[in-house]
Amino acid sequence: MRIVTKAYGAKDVDERQRLHFPGGIPGFADLLEWVLLDAAEQPFYWLQSVDRQDVAFVLLDPKVFRPDYDPEVDPEELAEIGIHSPEDVLVFSIVTIPENPNLMTANLQGPVIINRRTRVGRQCVSLDPRWHVRHAVLEEMGAVRQHAC
Amino acid sequence: MLILARRINETIMIGDQIEVSVVDIRGDQVKIGIRAPRTVKVYRKEVYQLIQEENLKAAQSMPGSLPRLDSLVGKGGAPAVQDGGNPKP
């Protein structure tokens, strides 16, 4: 399938990169079809809307900067996208990149969870009060590294 | 908006499946109990709003502004820790 992406223009995507979000994403409830693309810059990904080329999110595996991260979401929310076993789960955080990219933040309170078997996803709400919507990625990454000294 | 006065331990019904009770009142804080079918998601409004607002902001992230994490952490002054490096005293 060929789609137009915000980051890379027209691009061929494999069927296996397609994701279905039955409830959309908060703020974009009407966008149900998405694709997951590797970003040119590791370790990021793009979550690109199929229907609106101007809507795309930068994603990051939160363990990259918070190895201690556990999204802790209501199992009911997982069951709604057919997840019954931890092996089915893929977890991403949506990243917000301001003008100065060094100040980018990741949303750990609203993890994007994907059933890797069926490629159905949703943005869940973490029940753990430690996680909020704006974690300074570089700062917390540095803290982890220093801690490792 | 429908506004109802309730005392502690009184309940209102929303439809025939959702119950909202006033569990406790202390000062300016009210504890509310909600009984609803599992398919009905109940969130504090501010949590849902926060996530929605953050998504709207995140969707503005521009291509080309993505840094490589490794190089940035190096630039920040904190030296990258190599495996097998000497432990600090």
Side-chain angles (χ1 to χ4, degrees):
Chain A
M1 187 183 65
R2 198 166 178 80
I3 65 160
V4 184
T5 66
K6 178 174 170 179
Y8 308 118
K11 202 169 162 51
D12 284 315
V13 294
D14 192 277
E15 213 35 47
R16 284 169 299 182
Q17 291 172 271
R18 292 193 62 169
L19 302 173
H20 177 64
F21 282 63
I25 289 178
F28 302 91
D30 54 334
L31 300 180
L32 312 187
E33 304 304 323
W34 299 80
V35 292
L36 186 65
L37 308 166
D38 285 315
E41 300 85 353
Q42 290 213 342
F44 298 102
Y45 303 84
W46 283 98
L47 181 64
Q48 169 71 51
S49 159
V50 169
D51 302 307
R52 274 184 58 188
Q53 76 163 94
D54 60 316
V55 179
F57 294 105
V58 176
L59 301 186
L60 179 66
D61 170 359
K63 296 247 186 205
V64 165
F65 78 105
R66 286 301 298 246
D68 59 332
Y69 183 62
D70 174 357
E72 213 196 309
V73 301
D74 183 346
E76 278 301 318
E77 280 205 285
L78 298 180
E80 272 172 39
I81 51 170
I83 290 177
H84 301 287
S85 129
E87 290 107 71
D88 296 341
V89 177
L90 272 178
V91 180
F92 293 103
S93 299
I94 296 181
V95 179
T96 302
I97 303 180
E99 230 169 286
N100 176 356
N102 291 5
L103 302 178
M104 69 178 160
T105 57
N107 181 350
L108 298 187
Q109 193 172 12
V112 170
I113 298 194
I114 293 161
N115 180 336
R116 69 162 92 214
R117 216 165 19 87
T118 58
R119 300 193 306 277
V120 173
R122 66 176 286 150
Q123 187 172 22
C124 299
V125 178
S126 175
L127 303 172
D128 187 332
R130 272 184 304 163
W131 310 130
H132 47 93
V133 298
R134 233 168 281 147
H135 285 258
V137 174
L138 297 181
E139 206 173 287
E140 295 188 25
M141 195 175 199
V144 167
R145 293 202 175 191
Q146 283 186 344
H147 190 67
C149 281
Chain B
M1 184 186 282
L2 172 68
I3 296 171
L4 302 168
R6 300 273 71 189
R7 295 178 198 285
I8 286 184
N9 294 327
E10 291 185 338
T11 298
I12 59 168
M13 296 291 299
I14 300 174
D16 51 11
Q17 290 195 296
I18 301 174
E19 273 179 41
V20 180
S21 313
V22 177
V23 178
D24 199 7
I25 303 171
R26 264 182 216 173
D28 62 354
Q29 209 181 33
V30 181
K31 273 195 185 153
I32 294 171
I34 298 161
R35 185 169 289 140
R38 287 197 173 275
T39 50
V40 177
K41 289 280 152 262
V42 179
Y43 300 118
R44 291 177 181 85
K45 183 176 176 183
E46 62 270 23
V47 170
Y48 189 84
Q49 264 180 343
L50 270 177
I51 288 177
Q52 188 168 337
E53 279 164 21
E54 197 55 32
N55 284 349
L56 292 170
K57 231 181 276 168
Q60 313 282 316
S61 300
M62 290 312 288
S65 61
L66 285 183
R68 283 186 182 272
L69 282 189
D70 289 349
S71 62
L72 268 170
V73 171
K75 257 188 248 167
V81 177
Q82 303 293 332
D83 285 337
N86 294 327
K88 281 187 179 164

